[in-house]
PDB file of all heavy atoms in Angstrom:
ATOM      1  N   SER B 108       3.830  39.482 -31.687  1.00  0.00           N
ATOM      2  CA  SER B 108       3.529  39.361 -30.251  1.00  0.00           C
ATOM      3  C   SER B 108       2.063  39.132 -29.989  1.00  0.00           C
ATOM      4  O   SER B 108       1.666  38.461 -29.062  1.00  0.00           O
ATOM      5  CB  SER B 108       4.009  40.602 -29.510  1.00  0.00           C
ATOM      6  OG  SER B 108       3.390  41.725 -30.026  1.00  0.00           O
ATOM      7  N   LEU B 109       1.190  39.702 -30.850  1.00  0.00           N
ATOM      8  CA  LEU B 109      -0.239  39.510 -30.664  1.00  0.00           C
ATOM      9  C   LEU B 109      -0.614  38.037 -30.832  1.00  0.00           C
ATOM     10  O   LEU B 109      -1.266  37.443 -29.987  1.00  0.00           O
ATOM     11  CB  LEU B 109      -1.050  40.366 -31.603  1.00  0.00           C
ATOM     12  CG  LEU B 109      -2.532  40.513 -31.280  1.00  0.00           C
ATOM     13  CD1 LEU B 109      -2.694  41.300 -29.986  1.00  0.00           C
ATOM     14  CD2 LEU B 109      -3.286  41.204 -32.402  1.00  0.00           C
ATOM     15  N   VAL B 110      -0.151  37.445 -31.950  1.00  0.00           N
ATOM     16  CA  VAL B 110      -0.499  36.057 -32.224  1.00  0.00           C
ATOM     17  C   VAL B 110       0.069  35.141 -31.158  1.00  0.00           C
ATOM     18  O   VAL B 110      -0.669  34.383 -30.488  1.00  0.00           O
ATOM     19  CB  VAL B 110      -0.009  35.646 -33.632  1.00  0.00           C
ATOM     20  CG1 VAL B 110      -0.194  34.149 -33.826  1.00  0.00           C
ATOM     21  CG2 VAL B 110      -0.758  36.417 -34.698  1.00  0.00           C
ATOM     22  N   LEU B 111       1.405  35.262 -30.925  1.00  0.00           N
ATOM     23  CA  LEU B 111       2.033  34.378 -29.935  1.00  0.00           C
ATOM     24  C   LEU B 111       1.496  34.628 -28.529  1.00  0.00           C
ATOM     25  O   LEU B 111       1.181  33.701 -27.793  1.00  0.00           O
ATOM     26  CB  LEU B 111       3.551  34.601 -29.941  1.00  0.00           C
ATOM     27  CG  LEU B 111       4.346  33.921 -31.032  1.00  0.00           C
ATOM     28  CD1 LEU B 111       5.820  34.257 -30.869  1.00  0.00           C
ATOM     29  CD2 LEU B 111       4.169  32.407 -30.944  1.00  0.00           C
ATOM     30  N   GLY B 112       1.400  35.893 -28.148  1.00  0.00           N
ATOM     31  CA  GLY B 112       1.015  36.233 -26.776  1.00  0.00           C
ATOM     32  C   GLY B 112      -0.406  35.836 -26.457  1.00  0.00           C
ATOM     33  O   GLY B 112      -0.676  35.254 -25.406  1.00  0.00           O
ATOM     34  N   VAL B 113      -1.347  36.154 -27.364  1.00  0.00           N
ATOM     35  CA  VAL B 113      -2.753  35.816 -27.082  1.00  0.00           C
ATOM     36  C   VAL B 113      -2.960  34.324 -27.063  1.00  0.00           C
ATOM     37  O   VAL B 113      -3.640  33.789 -26.168  1.00  0.00           O
ATOM     38  CB  VAL B 113      -3.676  36.510 -28.104  1.00  0.00           C
ATOM     39  CG1 VAL B 113      -5.107  36.027 -27.962  1.00  0.00           C
ATOM     40  CG2 VAL B 113      -3.608  38.014 -27.935  1.00  0.00           C
ATOM     41  N   MET B 114      -2.292  33.616 -28.004  1.00  0.00           N
ATOM     42  CA  MET B 114      -2.433  32.143 -28.018  1.00  0.00           C
ATOM     43  C   MET B 114      -1.892  31.564 -26.719  1.00  0.00           C
ATOM     44  O   MET B 114      -2.510  30.680 -26.124  1.00  0.00           O
ATOM     45  CB  MET B 114      -1.696  31.573 -29.212  1.00  0.00           C
ATOM     46  CG  MET B 114      -2.200  32.030 -30.531  1.00  0.00           C
ATOM     47  SD  MET B 114      -3.599  31.100 -31.081  1.00  0.00           S
ATOM     48  CE  MET B 114      -2.867  30.156 -32.354  1.00  0.00           C
ATOM     49  N   THR B 115      -0.710  32.037 -26.298  1.00  0.00           N
ATOM     50  CA  THR B 115      -0.108  31.519 -25.056  1.00  0.00           C
ATOM     51  C   THR B 115      -1.011  31.805 -23.874  1.00  0.00           C
ATOM     52  O   THR B 115      -1.242  30.937 -23.029  1.00  0.00           O
ATOM     53  CB  THR B 115       1.279  32.170 -24.845  1.00  0.00           C
ATOM     54  OG1 THR B 115       2.024  32.136 -26.049  1.00  0.00           O
ATOM     55  CG2 THR B 115       2.022  31.462 -23.733  1.00  0.00           C
ATOM     56  N   GLY B 116      -1.537  33.041 -23.822  1.00  0.00           N
ATOM     57  CA  GLY B 116      -2.406  33.449 -22.722  1.00  0.00           C
ATOM     58  C   GLY B 116      -3.619  32.530 -22.661  1.00  0.00           C
ATOM     59  O   GLY B 116      -4.009  32.047 -21.593  1.00  0.00           O
ATOM     60  N   ILE B 117      -4.274  32.311 -23.804  1.00  0.00           N
ATOM     61  CA  ILE B 117      -5.463  31.462 -23.825  1.00  0.00           C
ATOM     62  C   ILE B 117      -5.116  30.033 -23.414  1.00  0.00           C
ATOM     63  O   ILE B 117      -5.798  29.417 -22.621  1.00  0.00           O
ATOM     64  CB  ILE B 117      -6.120  31.479 -25.219  1.00  0.00           C
ATOM     65  CG1 ILE B 117      -6.730  32.854 -25.466  1.00  0.00           C
ATOM     66  CG2 ILE B 117      -7.172  30.412 -25.334  1.00  0.00           C
ATOM     67  CD1 ILE B 117      -7.316  33.017 -26.850  1.00  0.00           C
ATOM     68  N   TYR B 118      -4.008  29.546 -23.952  1.00  0.00           N
ATOM     69  CA  TYR B 118      -3.597  28.176 -23.596  1.00  0.00           C
ATOM     70  C   TYR B 118      -3.390  28.057 -22.078  1.00  0.00           C
ATOM     71  O   TYR B 118      -3.953  27.136 -21.441  1.00  0.00           O
ATOM     72  CB  TYR B 118      -2.315  27.769 -24.331  1.00  0.00           C
ATOM     73  CG  TYR B 118      -1.792  26.438 -23.823  1.00  0.00           C
ATOM     74  CD1 TYR B 118      -2.405  25.247 -24.195  1.00  0.00           C
ATOM     75  CD2 TYR B 118      -0.696  26.394 -22.959  1.00  0.00           C
ATOM     76  CE1 TYR B 118      -1.971  24.052 -23.704  1.00  0.00           C
ATOM     77  CE2 TYR B 118      -0.238  25.173 -22.463  1.00  0.00           C
ATOM     78  CZ  TYR B 118      -0.879  24.014 -22.844  1.00  0.00           C
ATOM     79  OH  TYR B 118      -0.474  22.825 -22.340  1.00  0.00           O
ATOM     80  N   LEU B 119      -2.598  28.967 -21.505  1.00  0.00           N
ATOM     81  CA  LEU B 119      -2.273  28.842 -20.104  1.00  0.00           C
ATOM     82  C   LEU B 119      -3.489  29.009 -19.238  1.00  0.00           C
ATOM     83  O   LEU B 119      -3.657  28.342 -18.199  1.00  0.00           O
ATOM     84  CB  LEU B 119      -1.218  29.897 -19.718  1.00  0.00           C
ATOM     85  CG  LEU B 119       0.193  29.624 -20.202  1.00  0.00           C
ATOM     86  CD1 LEU B 119       1.088  30.766 -19.838  1.00  0.00           C
ATOM     87  CD2 LEU B 119       0.719  28.334 -19.589  1.00  0.00           C
ATOM     88  N   GLU B 120      -4.403  29.915 -19.626  1.00  0.00           N
ATOM     89  CA  GLU B 120      -5.543  30.231 -18.740  1.00  0.00           C
ATOM     90  C   GLU B 120      -6.674  29.227 -18.912  1.00  0.00           C
ATOM     91  O   GLU B 120      -7.341  28.865 -17.933  1.00  0.00           O
ATOM     92  CB  GLU B 120      -6.027  31.663 -19.061  1.00  0.00           C
ATOM     93  CG  GLU B 120      -6.806  32.307 -17.966  1.00  0.00           C
ATOM     94  CD  GLU B 120      -6.091  32.361 -16.649  1.00  0.00           C
ATOM     95  OE1 GLU B 120      -4.884  32.634 -16.631  1.00  0.00           O
ATOM     96  OE2 GLU B 120      -6.738  32.091 -15.623  1.00  0.00           O
ATOM     97  N   GLU B 121      -6.901  28.735 -20.138  1.00  0.00           N
ATOM     98  CA  GLU B 121      -8.112  27.960 -20.373  1.00  0.00           C
ATOM     99  C   GLU B 121      -7.825  26.482 -20.641  1.00  0.00           C
ATOM    100  O   GLU B 121      -8.666  25.648 -20.367  1.00  0.00           O
ATOM    101  CB  GLU B 121      -8.868  28.519 -21.597  1.00  0.00           C
ATOM    102  CG  GLU B 121      -9.286  29.962 -21.435  1.00  0.00           C
ATOM    103  CD  GLU B 121     -10.338  30.160 -20.348  1.00  0.00           C
ATOM    104  OE1 GLU B 121     -11.153  29.233 -20.126  1.00  0.00           O
ATOM    105  OE2 GLU B 121     -10.345  31.222 -19.707  1.00  0.00           O
ATOM    106  N   TYR B 122      -6.670  26.154 -21.202  1.00  0.00           N
ATOM    107  CA  TYR B 122      -6.438  24.775 -21.625  1.00  0.00           C
ATOM    108  C   TYR B 122      -5.439  24.033 -20.720  1.00  0.00           C
ATOM    109  O   TYR B 122      -5.618  22.868 -20.461  1.00  0.00           O
ATOM    110  CB  TYR B 122      -5.946  24.715 -23.076  1.00  0.00           C
ATOM    111  CG  TYR B 122      -7.006  25.005 -24.090  1.00  0.00           C
ATOM    112  CD1 TYR B 122      -7.297  26.314 -24.489  1.00  0.00           C
ATOM    113  CD2 TYR B 122      -7.757  23.978 -24.664  1.00  0.00           C
ATOM    114  CE1 TYR B 122      -8.306  26.549 -25.426  1.00  0.00           C
ATOM    115  CE2 TYR B 122      -8.721  24.216 -25.595  1.00  0.00           C
ATOM    116  CZ  TYR B 122      -9.004  25.523 -25.982  1.00  0.00           C
ATOM    117  OH  TYR B 122      -9.965  25.777 -26.897  1.00  0.00           O
ATOM    118  N   ALA B 123      -4.369  24.720 -20.324  1.00  0.00           N
ATOM    119  CA  ALA B 123      -3.269  24.031 -19.722  1.00  0.00           C
ATOM    120  C   ALA B 123      -3.659  23.351 -18.399  1.00  0.00           C
ATOM    121  O   ALA B 123      -4.373  23.938 -17.584  1.00  0.00           O
ATOM    122  CB  ALA B 123      -2.113  25.009 -19.434  1.00  0.00           C
ATOM    123  N   PRO B 124      -3.238  22.080 -18.223  1.00  0.00           N
ATOM    124  CA  PRO B 124      -3.473  21.432 -16.957  1.00  0.00           C
ATOM    125  C   PRO B 124      -2.529  22.033 -15.899  1.00  0.00           C
ATOM    126  O   PRO B 124      -1.477  22.569 -16.245  1.00  0.00           O
ATOM    127  CB  PRO B 124      -3.118  19.954 -17.254  1.00  0.00           C
ATOM    128  CG  PRO B 124      -2.142  20.038 -18.369  1.00  0.00           C
ATOM    129  CD  PRO B 124      -2.506  21.219 -19.172  1.00  0.00           C
ATOM    130  N   LYS B 125      -2.934  21.954 -14.640  1.00  0.00           N
ATOM    131  CA  LYS B 125      -2.052  22.480 -13.589  1.00  0.00           C
ATOM    132  C   LYS B 125      -1.018  21.448 -13.249  1.00  0.00           C
ATOM    133  O   LYS B 125      -1.270  20.551 -12.430  1.00  0.00           O
ATOM    134  CB  LYS B 125      -2.901  22.845 -12.360  1.00  0.00           C
ATOM    135  CG  LYS B 125      -3.813  23.990 -12.584  1.00  0.00           C
ATOM    136  CD  LYS B 125      -3.190  25.333 -12.176  1.00  0.00           C
ATOM    137  CE  LYS B 125      -3.975  26.541 -12.705  1.00  0.00           C
ATOM    138  NZ  LYS B 125      -3.845  26.789 -14.144  1.00  0.00           N
ATOM    139  N   ASN B 126       0.144  21.500 -13.863  1.00  0.00           N
ATOM    140  CA  ASN B 126       1.198  20.553 -13.515  1.00  0.00           C
ATOM    141  C   ASN B 126       2.568  21.253 -13.511  1.00  0.00           C
ATOM    142  O   ASN B 126       2.635  22.463 -13.720  1.00  0.00           O
ATOM    143  CB  ASN B 126       1.201  19.351 -14.458  1.00  0.00           C
ATOM    144  CG  ASN B 126       1.365  19.781 -15.905  1.00  0.00           C
ATOM    145  OD1 ASN B 126       1.891  20.846 -16.189  1.00  0.00           O
ATOM    146  ND2 ASN B 126       0.885  18.957 -16.809  1.00  0.00           N
ATOM    147  N   ILE B 127       3.599  20.491 -13.284  1.00  0.00           N
ATOM    148  CA  ILE B 127       4.932  21.084 -13.117  1.00  0.00           C
ATOM    149  C   ILE B 127       5.396  21.752 -14.405  1.00  0.00           C
ATOM    150  O   ILE B 127       6.032  22.805 -14.377  1.00  0.00           O
ATOM    151  CB  ILE B 127       5.964  19.992 -12.646  1.00  0.00           C
ATOM    152  CG1 ILE B 127       7.310  20.615 -12.338  1.00  0.00           C
ATOM    153  CG2 ILE B 127       6.095  18.860 -13.608  1.00  0.00           C
ATOM    154  CD1 ILE B 127       7.422  21.238 -10.986  1.00  0.00           C
TER     155      ILE B 127
END
Side-chain angles (χ1 to χ4, degrees):
Chain B
S108 60
L109 194 68
V110 172
L111 279 180
V113 171
M114 299 276 253
T115 313
I117 290 175
Y118 172 75
L119 286 175
E120 202 54 43
E121 301 293 329
Y122 286 87
K125 292 267 167 286
N126 58 24
I127 185 81

